[in-house]
Amino acid sequence: MSNLNLLSEYKSFGGKLGFYSHSSSTCNSEMRFAVYQPPQATQKPVPILYFLSGLSSTEENFMVKAGVQRFAAEYGLILVAPDTSPRNTGIAGEDDDWDFGTGAGFYVDATEEPWRKNYQMYSYVVQELPALITANFPTQPEKQGIFGHSMGGHGALVCAMRNPELYKSVSAFAPITAPMRCPWGQKALGGYLGNNQETWRAYDASELVKQVGYHSSILIDQGTADKFLAEQLLPEVFEQACADVNQPLNLRYQEGYDHSYYFIASFIEDHIRHHALA
Ligand SMILES: N[C@@H](CCC(=O)N[C@@H](CS)C(=O)NCC(=O)O)C(=O)O
């Protein structure tokens, strides 16, 4: 593991959870991610499942809060959770907002100054990170899936639809499904990509599904008591777009659940099974 720094490691459900940093050539900065290796990985290569987190999260939130290790161990999947943005880049104002800059990379390749040099999270997630993972862990690189939460649910849908050959399955918890139409998305896409909204379409799941679709059914869980539901997440827009092009979608409204990891933990096993079956 010459190019990876192991920061800490913990035994969990017979497997091991490690936190790593490395020097990213895509983001021109130090990047962090977490990897959970199930017990099966000591015997043979196993499939990989990527999880993209939401606004203000790091590589840690999912591993600490989702209760996912038990199921990754049971189903024999390696889990990889990257950080949500570059950090400490020195860009003026990078830490000013919780929904833009640090902790809010939005899984896009920025084209605007001053973000362009570092904020290349789309390419980082679909290219650099998978190459690093397959080079350093016992994986079956042809068996990859991706899922995520909120901003990360948006990222997972976009990565999967734009690279259907790389990802065998996709799912999301409370994803931002129509970023061009919600305040979080408009702020991020405008800031990272500029004002020409034509360039935003490549990062909007509700636009992409009409352009390219996805080869298998998409699983989405959405809590009905999520305070971001009506203004930011807009699952009804994605549902309509899927219906327009006959894209199979399993959108489940979960009564009374909010936006938190308590919600994610409640349905994580279904998502792990969804990806394991694929
Ligand atoms: N800071 C925001 C909330 C941010 C938030 O809810 N972030 C979600 C993703 S969009 C999250 O996963 N936070 C980290 C956590 O709950 O561990 C607020 O005050 O409204």
Side-chain angles (χ1 to χ4, degrees):
M1 299 206 184
S2 55
N3 44 4
L4 287 188
N5 308 313
L6 178 63
L7 303 172
S8 59
E9 194 169 65
Y10 308 90
K11 187 165 183 182
S12 182
F13 290 93
K16 59 184 175 185
L17 171 61
F19 290 91
Y20 300 86
S21 71
H22 73 112
S23 169
S24 165
S25 56
T26 307
C27 294
N28 288 297
S29 69
E30 186 91 341
M31 291 294 293
R32 291 188 177 209
F33 59 86
V35 177
Y36 176 71
Q37 301 182 64
Q40 295 86 338
T42 58
Q43 311 293 327
K44 60 177 196 316
V46 298
I48 319 158
L49 183 54
Y50 290 86
F51 184 87
L52 306 181
S53 286
L55 290 166
S56 77
S57 292
T58 69
E59 69 286 357
E60 216 182 353
N61 299 59
F62 176 64
M63 293 299 187
V64 174
K65 296 181 169 179
V68 69
Q69 289 84 359
R70 172 190 294 271
F71 304 113
E74 189 177 319
Y75 290 91
L77 304 175
I78 280 192
L79 298 171
V80 181
D83 199 354
T84 52
S85 76
R87 288 173 197 269
N88 308 308
T89 60
I91 297 173
E94 67 181 332
D95 297 334
D96 288 359
D97 294 351
W98 67 273
D99 56 0
F100 188 76
T102 303
F106 250 85
Y107 308 102
V108 305
D109 285 345
T111 53
E112 291 299 289
E113 299 296 353
W115 310 99
R116 202 160 63 90
K117 177 162 174 253
N118 305 108
Y119 280 69
Q120 299 292 320
M121 289 299 290
Y122 173 74
S123 291
Y124 178 73
V125 167
V126 304
Q127 290 169 3
E128 185 176 7
L129 185 60
L132 197 65
I133 296 299
T134 53
N136 288 285
F137 297 91
T139 60
Q140 295 177 271
E142 72 288 358
K143 292 190 179 169
Q144 290 193 146
I146 191 163
F147 68 150
H149 172 224
S150 197
M151 171 183 76
H154 140 77
L157 292 169
V158 167
C159 290
M161 281 195 272
R162 288 177 59 170
N163 304 276
E165 71 293 350
L166 293 183
Y167 301 104
K168 296 275 181 286
S169 51
V170 64
S171 73
F173 297 93
I176 299 169
T177 63
M180 295 179 71
R181 305 195 201 185
C182 76
W184 281 341
Q186 289 163 350
K187 179 173 177 176
L189 298 175
Y192 296 131
L193 305 178
N195 293 331
N196 178 2
Q197 298 202 3
E198 281 308 306
T199 65
W200 299 9
R201 288 183 197 281
Y203 295 105
D204 185 297
S206 297
E207 294 291 324
L208 279 171
V209 74
K210 289 188 274 191
Q211 288 168 26
V212 298
Y214 189 63
H215 51 56
S216 53
S217 182
I218 298 170
L219 171 63
I220 293 180
D221 276 316
Q222 173 63 60
T224 61
D226 185 327
K227 67 178 175 182
F228 301 119
L229 176 55
E231 191 187 7
Q232 304 283 9
L233 306 175
L234 313 179
E236 68 284 358
V237 174
F238 188 63
E239 187 176 31
Q240 184 60 55
C242 287
D244 289 347
V245 294
N246 294 318
Q247 168 64 48
L249 168 70
N250 185 9
L251 169 59
R252 309 189 306 184
Y253 283 101
Q254 304 290 3
E255 189 62 36
Y257 286 89
D258 66 10
H259 196 65
S260 71
Y261 274 90
Y262 298 113
F263 154 64
I264 295 177
S266 304
F267 301 100
I268 192 73
E269 186 179 9
D270 289 355
H271 286 246
I272 295 296
R273 197 184 306 110
H274 171 82
H275 293 279
L277 286 173

